[in-house]
């Protein structure tokens, strides 16, 4: 740190010393620390800037301003990450001390948001933290953060599913196929639980009278005859029967049920990706955990059927045909046919699905 900056920091710090009949001037100190942090950041000294930001967060804690403290802690974490990236780029150290400090700041900010009842803010920070540690090749830690984010964002089905999907990618990367199976089933269950048979989203809201559209009854709240609690009570009774009626038509296949219920757009794409992963995961589990593979037998049998009809109405037809061909080749253990089928489907697979398919081909001795 430059001598001028060091002198400025000492001057600010002196204002925080407790003296007789004089309280520390926390507001002024916090403002000056933020200014010093900004100057140090402009001078390309992110680690020193992070030190000043951390001191500012302590001032905000003393002022009993938790939201400002949480915001400053996140800024501090970002500065630590910048310092860590610079060190790794210059290969100065592999200790990752700045990364550990950044993670600690994120977790403190998350705890503040949880305490303040702001679960969505906390869940979003867990998602951000998971992405960051994954960039630094800490997939195991990222997996846990994705699960924590899913738990905190449970009020939003789409966000929950996206967090579970990110966790699924981590599990596939770590070759934890049993955990990947659990995540897949949670994703599909979440999609089913938040849709009704007409394809409208049915997540629970805190005020049915003002958010009646969440139950597929937009505009009814303006009707004098509308009574939201009674409507919700009646629907809660009827909904399991409606879901069961559809389940009977899909032969216990949760992926097909989710595909029929999911509304076009993000939910439909999520189900599509989940089903592709499930079919590939079946063959991976078949080699390592055959008892677990049975849970994915329903979609597999659908793709192995001899029917001329399309068996996945939520999937693009040409891709479904290519996928059915691949499944047949993997089932019949045909090396040559498997290679050609792999070429056909690969452009439509995600990165994790491509790696999973490669692992399946190796496990089933279909590649040399």
């Amino acid at each position: 740190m430059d001598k001028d900056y060091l002198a400025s920091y000492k001057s600010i710090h002196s204002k925080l010393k407790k003296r007789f009949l004089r309280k520390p001037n926390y507001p002024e100190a916090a403002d000056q620390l933020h200014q010093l942090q900004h100057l140090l950041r402009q001078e390309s000294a992110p680690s020193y800037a992070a030190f000043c930001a951390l001191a500012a967060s302590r001032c905000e804690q003393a002022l009993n301003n938790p939201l400002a403290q949480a915001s400053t802690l996140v800024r501090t974490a970002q500065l630590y990450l910048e310092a860590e990236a610079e060190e790794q780029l210059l290969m100065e150290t592999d200790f990752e001390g700045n990364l550990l400090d950044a993670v600690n700041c994120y977790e403190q900010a998350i705890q503040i948001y949880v305490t303040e009842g702001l679960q969505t803010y906390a869940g979003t920070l867990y998602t951000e933290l998971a992405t960051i540690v994954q960039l630094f090749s800490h997939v195991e830690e990222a997996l846990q953060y994705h699960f924590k984010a899913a738990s905190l964002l449970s009020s939003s089905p789409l966000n929950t599913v996206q967090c579970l999907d990110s966790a699924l990618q981590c599990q596939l990367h770590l070759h934890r196929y049993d955990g990947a199976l659990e995540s897949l089933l949670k994703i599909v269950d979440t999609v089913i639980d938040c849709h009704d048979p007409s394809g409208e989203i049915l997540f629970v809201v805190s005020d049915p009278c003002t958010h009646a559209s969440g139950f597929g009854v937009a505009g009814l709240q303006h009707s004098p005859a509308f009574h939201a609690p009674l409507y919700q009570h009646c629907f809660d009774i009827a909904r399991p029967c409606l879901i069961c009626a559809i389940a009977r038509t899909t032969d216990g296949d949760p992926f097909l049920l989710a595909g029929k219920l999911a509304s076009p757009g993000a939910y439909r794409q999520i189900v599509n990706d989940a089903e592709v992963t499930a079919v590939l995961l079946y063959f991976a589990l078949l080699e390592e955990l055959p008892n677990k593979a049975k849970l994915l037998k329903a979609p597999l049998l659908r793709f192995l059927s001899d029917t001329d009809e399309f068996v996945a109405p939520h999937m693009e037809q040409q891709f479904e045909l290519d996928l059915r061909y691949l499944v047949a080749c993997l089932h019949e253990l045909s090396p040559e046919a498997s290679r050609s089928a792999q070429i056909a489907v690969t452009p439509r697979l995600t990165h994790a699905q491509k790696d999973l398919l490669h692992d399946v081909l190796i496990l089933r001795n279909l590649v040399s």
Side-chain angles (χ1 to χ4, degrees):
M1 187 184 292
D2 187 272
K3 289 183 179 179
D4 291 339
Y5 292 129
L6 183 58
S8 298
Y9 179 80
K10 287 182 177 180
S11 174
I12 297 169
H13 189 264
S14 67
K15 298 176 183 179
L16 301 176
K17 291 182 179 179
K18 294 182 178 179
R19 293 188 174 92
F20 183 66
L21 296 177
R22 181 182 171 186
K23 292 183 178 180
N25 194 344
Y26 289 115
E28 183 180 353
D31 288 340
Q32 291 179 351
L33 285 167
H34 280 300
Q35 292 173 14
L36 184 57
Q37 171 259 126
H38 183 67
L39 290 173
L40 286 166
R41 172 64 187 82
Q42 289 182 325
E43 292 293 327
S44 299
S47 58
Y48 292 126
F51 186 77
C52 292
L54 186 59
S57 74
R58 288 169 181 156
C59 291
E60 287 155 350
Q61 182 182 20
L63 291 168
N64 196 25
N65 191 348
L67 297 184
Q69 181 191 359
S71 178
T72 302
L73 282 169
V74 172
R75 177 58 182 156
T76 305
Q78 292 168 345
L79 290 166
Y80 275 129
L81 289 169
E82 190 174 335
E84 181 66 33
E86 287 184 3
E87 287 185 0
Q88 292 206 10
L89 186 63
L90 298 173
M91 292 184 289
E92 292 181 353
T93 178
D94 58 356
F95 178 63
E96 295 187 333
N98 287 315
L99 177 60
L100 292 174
D101 289 335
V103 170
N104 184 51
C105 289
Y106 265 113
E107 290 182 337
Q108 287 184 56
I110 289 168
Q111 186 57 51
I112 290 171
Y113 283 131
V114 170
T115 302
E116 294 297 311
L118 299 172
Q119 275 76 13
T120 301
Y121 282 74
T124 302
L125 282 185
Y126 265 133
T127 300
E128 185 176 321
L129 181 55
T131 303
I132 289 166
V133 297
Q134 199 165 350
L135 288 174
F136 285 95
S137 302
H138 293 281
V139 182
E140 178 69 50
E141 290 79 3
L143 172 61
Q144 302 306 317
Y145 291 139
H146 283 307
F147 279 134
K148 290 179 179 179
S151 176
L152 288 169
L153 296 172
S154 57
S155 61
S156 170
L158 185 56
N159 286 336
T160 301
V161 166
Q162 289 171 337
C163 292
L164 290 172
D165 183 64
S166 297
L168 171 64
Q169 310 310 312
C170 293
Q171 289 167 321
L172 292 175
H173 179 83
L174 295 168
H175 298 94
R176 295 184 182 171
Y177 298 137
D178 54 339
L181 172 61
E182 292 180 12
S183 295
L184 262 181
L185 296 177
K186 285 181 182 177
I187 289 170
V188 174
D189 285 345
T190 303
V191 173
I192 292 173
D193 287 344
C194 71
H195 285 76
D196 73 352
S198 63
E200 295 177 355
I201 300 173
L202 290 168
F203 55 89
V204 177
V205 294
S206 57
D207 185 358
C209 292
T210 57
H211 296 80
S213 58
F215 296 98
V217 286
L220 281 182
Q221 66 269 37
H222 303 298
S223 170
F226 177 68
H227 189 259
L230 178 59
Y231 175 85
Q232 181 175 348
H233 175 69
C234 294
F235 187 85
D236 287 342
I237 295 173
R239 182 175 174 275
C241 301
L242 296 171
I243 295 295
C244 289
I246 293 185
R248 285 195 295 271
T249 67
T250 57
D251 298 324
D253 186 343
F255 295 91
L256 183 56
L257 173 59
K260 289 184 175 182
L261 292 178
S263 52
Y267 282 106
R268 186 71 59 84
Q269 185 60 47
I270 286 166
V271 175
N272 183 82
D273 290 342
E275 183 157 25
V276 174
T277 303
V279 171
L280 298 176
L281 186 60
Y282 170 85
F283 291 104
L285 288 168
L286 194 63
E287 300 298 328
E288 298 189 351
L289 299 165
N291 289 333
K292 293 289 185 70
K294 295 176 182 178
L295 296 173
L296 297 175
K297 201 164 185 178
L300 178 85
L301 293 176
R302 181 155 43 85
F303 279 91
L304 285 173
S305 66
D306 295 330
T307 178
D308 294 331
E309 298 178 359
F310 291 101
V311 296
H314 51 281
M315 195 175 290
E316 194 269 327
Q317 293 182 352
Q318 184 57 51
F319 180 57
E320 181 190 323
L321 292 174
D322 292 337
L323 189 60
R324 289 177 70 174
Y325 178 51
L326 174 65
V327 170
C329 295
L330 293 174
H331 184 69
E332 297 296 332
L333 297 175
S334 174
E336 290 296 330
S338 295
R339 277 193 287 272
S340 62
Q342 180 186 14
I343 294 171
V345 301
T346 294
R348 303 291 298 275
L349 300 181
T350 65
H351 180 73
Q353 289 168 346
K354 291 175 185 176
D355 289 343
L356 179 57
L357 175 56
H358 181 70
D359 292 341
V360 167
L361 292 173
I362 293 173
L363 287 170
R364 294 184 70 77
N365 298 315
L366 295 172
V367 291
S368 54

